Amino acid sequence: MNLASQAVSILSTFRCRLSTAFVRKYFPFLAGVSLITVHPHRSSGKRAVVCATMLAACAGAALSASAVLAQQRDSAKPVVVQPGAPGQPSKTLPPSTRATLPPRSPADVEFMQGMIMHHAQAIDMTALIPSHTENKDLRSLGARISSSQSDEIKFMKRWLTARGESVSMHDAMPGTHTSGHDMAAMHLMPGMLTPEQMEALRKATGPEFDHLFLTGMIQHHQGALTMVKDLFDTAGAGQDADLFNFATDADNTQRAEIKIMQGMLEKKSTEEKR
């Protein structure tokens, strides 16, 4: 029920008749409401007092509602706050202020470019699983590694592209004209399998493949841990929040997967001894 309707209900209930001047002076929100017939003579007694009191309550509600609406309109405007330095107050910036990406170090870019290459080889390794082994545990692990590292590659490419950097370490090195095989040998990231190791993995099947895959992927994951450590050991690197979170999550995930693969190797070794 709106304010005017409430007023009509009050006047009707108490059969109040207030003077036109009285209404205009004290209840201007009723001006022009055709549903109310304001009589030129006043009501007497308690009815008039009660009626006026309730109308005043309506007027107060109107003022409160107006204040709330004004506050909501103000809060709808974008507010940009810049935190102050320790001990300093924050600053309210103009709504037109635009955020800028945090500064990055060359080590950040190299880490992302190198990790894309690193992840790509892990996905190549997992792609061999369906045709090379029937081991259900290994198939499940491979699917999980492939999915997570594919998503991480997409993230790293977005991160580099947003900063105007090449997503390929090879493209970022002008003047290099070596073949793909030579490039793979020259720019292996820590822990990556050599071309010879990859060829051996492709030729293996069954239990032999399982063993080569697990030992190779453990080596691969340990190399990723080294890359993360080197990043954080570099002065000024790893300060970007998105990169920091990504590198930390990757470290935690790969440590957990190393333990899983070590357990699978131990289980396999125990079964072979029986």
Side-chain angles (χ1 to χ4, degrees), residues 108-120 152-173 189:
D108 293 342
V109 176
E110 292 172 5
F111 171 80
M112 290 298 218
Q113 292 171 338
M115 194 62 83
I116 288 174
M117 183 189 303
H118 198 272
H119 276 29
E152 289 174 356
I153 286 177
K154 292 176 183 177
F155 164 77
M156 290 185 283
K157 287 183 175 181
R158 287 196 303 270
W159 188 93
L160 288 165
T161 300
R163 290 157 179 78
E165 300 288 349
S166 170
V167 300
S168 169
M169 182 172 286
H170 176 257
D171 293 342
M173 299 172 62
M189 296 296 104

Side-chain angles (χ1 to χ4, degrees), residues 12 36 50 65 73 80 82 90 105 117 145-147 154 156-157 163 180 198 202 209 212 218 228 236 238:
S12 175
I36 300 175
V50 174
R73 284 195 295 269
V80 181
Q82 180 183 35
S90 299
S105 74
M117 183 189 303
I145 292 174
S146 178
S147 176
K154 292 176 183 177
M156 290 185 283
K157 287 183 175 181
R163 290 157 179 78
M198 285 296 295
R202 292 188 188 96
F209 174 86
L212 289 177
I218 289 173
V228 173

